[in-house]
Amino acid sequence: MIGWWPAAGALLGLIVGSFLATVAIRWPQGRSVATGRSRCDTCRRPLGVRELVPLLSFVVQQGRCRTCGARIDWRHPAIELAAAIVGVAAFVVVPGLFGLVGAVFGWALLLLAILDVEHHWLPDRLTFPLILAGLLASLTPLPPPAADRLIGAAAGFTMLWLIATGYRLVRGREGMGGGDPKLMAAIGAWIGWALLPTVLLLASLVGLGAVLTARLRGRTVLATTRLPLGALLAVAAYPAWLVMVGTLR
């Protein structure tokens, strides 16, 4: 029976990923994510049910609209696939319904990472509920305990707030967005205080790797170049949660 959970996580991830892609594309444009039929971005034709099957429709249609032949936004299949991977990972580490708790954490981080990469935006309407959800997750058998989560939320916010404040005082300009400390608080609420330094270190290493890759590709990277710290934290936080839960359960 356990073997079915990863498959369920993949299927559920594809469905959730389709919704996340819609949110990631529509929300920054000020469009409703709850109303209005899905349409081709080019010819504006409403899409049928067969054209909305996550990932499969994109493959069958070879990435193009059936009517006008325009390319379908690559973010749709990419986000659907990423969400499916998150679902599989969560249910592999935590088979059963409690795996859904971890999957929700991963899907929220995925959406926040996308918004941060594309728009340098970590909306409070996502980070605040994620903090609350992390604290409420202490009601499940999943680690860490409630006290560690509370301390983690407070320490996560304080850690990045102090760094941002110190940078502003020393350099005389903003070096970090206001959403980053709130995301770190959410991460702390999910993984506890003990792993926060590890997450920050991993995020820094991933960021350094991204900078080096950009330089090798000939892109100019300056001291003022903005990096999506929230996305880096999200990329580091979810594997940390998977390892923590897999080790302690």
Side-chain angles (χ1 to χ4, degrees), residues 142-212:
L142 300 177
D148 286 11
R149 293 174 184 269
L150 284 169
I151 297 172
F157 178 86
T158 303
M159 181 190 304
L160 287 199
W161 182 85
L162 288 175
I163 293 174
T165 301
Y167 184 93
R168 184 172 62 251
L169 292 175
V170 172
R171 301 297 298 273
R173 58 184 174 86
E174 296 290 341
M176 185 184 301
D180 295 313
K182 299 168 189 174
L183 174 57
M184 195 62 162
I187 292 171
W190 278 88
I191 68 173
W193 60 270
L195 283 177
L196 288 178
T198 301
V199 168
L200 190 57
L201 175 61
L202 289 175
S204 301
L205 292 176
V206 173
L208 179 61
V211 169
L212 292 176

Side-chain angles (χ1 to χ4, degrees), residues 105 108-109 112 116 121-135 149-150 152-162 164 176-190 196 229-231 233-234 237:
F105 179 45
L109 290 177
L112 285 164
D116 197 34
W121 183 38
L122 298 171
D124 291 348
R125 290 171 63 182
L126 286 180
T127 53
F128 285 157
L130 193 58
I131 294 173
L132 179 60
L135 298 177
R149 293 174 184 269
L150 284 169
F157 178 86
T158 303
M159 181 190 304
L160 287 199
W161 182 85
L162 288 175
M176 185 184 301
D180 295 313
K182 299 168 189 174
L183 174 57
M184 195 62 162
I187 292 171
W190 278 88
L196 288 178
L229 177 58
L233 292 172

Side-chain angles (χ1 to χ4, degrees), residues 47-172:
L47 302 181
V49 175
R50 290 184 298 173
E51 297 170 287
L52 295 174
V53 180
L55 206 56
L56 182 60
S57 294
F58 183 88
V59 174
V60 171
Q61 296 173 205
Q62 299 181 342
R64 293 184 178 276
C65 172
R66 294 172 57 191
T67 300
C68 67
R71 290 190 177 277
I72 299 172
D73 194 322
W74 63 268
R75 288 176 291 182
H76 285 284
I79 295 172
E80 289 166 0
L81 180 59
I85 293 173
V86 168
V88 171
F91 282 103
V92 165
V93 174
V94 189
L97 293 179
F98 288 120
L100 182 60
V101 176
V104 168
F105 179 45
W107 292 328
L109 290 177
L110 174 61
L111 179 56
L112 285 164
I114 295 166
L115 293 174
D116 197 34
V117 168
E118 295 188 347
H119 307 284
H120 292 285
W121 183 38
L122 298 171
D124 291 348
R125 290 171 63 182
L126 286 180
T127 53
F128 285 157
L130 193 58
I131 294 173
L132 179 60
L135 298 177
L136 290 177
S138 63
L139 300 176
T140 73
L142 300 177
D148 286 11
R149 293 174 184 269
L150 284 169
I151 297 172
F157 178 86
T158 303
M159 181 190 304
L160 287 199
W161 182 85
L162 288 175
I163 293 174
T165 301
Y167 184 93
R168 184 172 62 251
L169 292 175
V170 172
R171 301 297 298 273

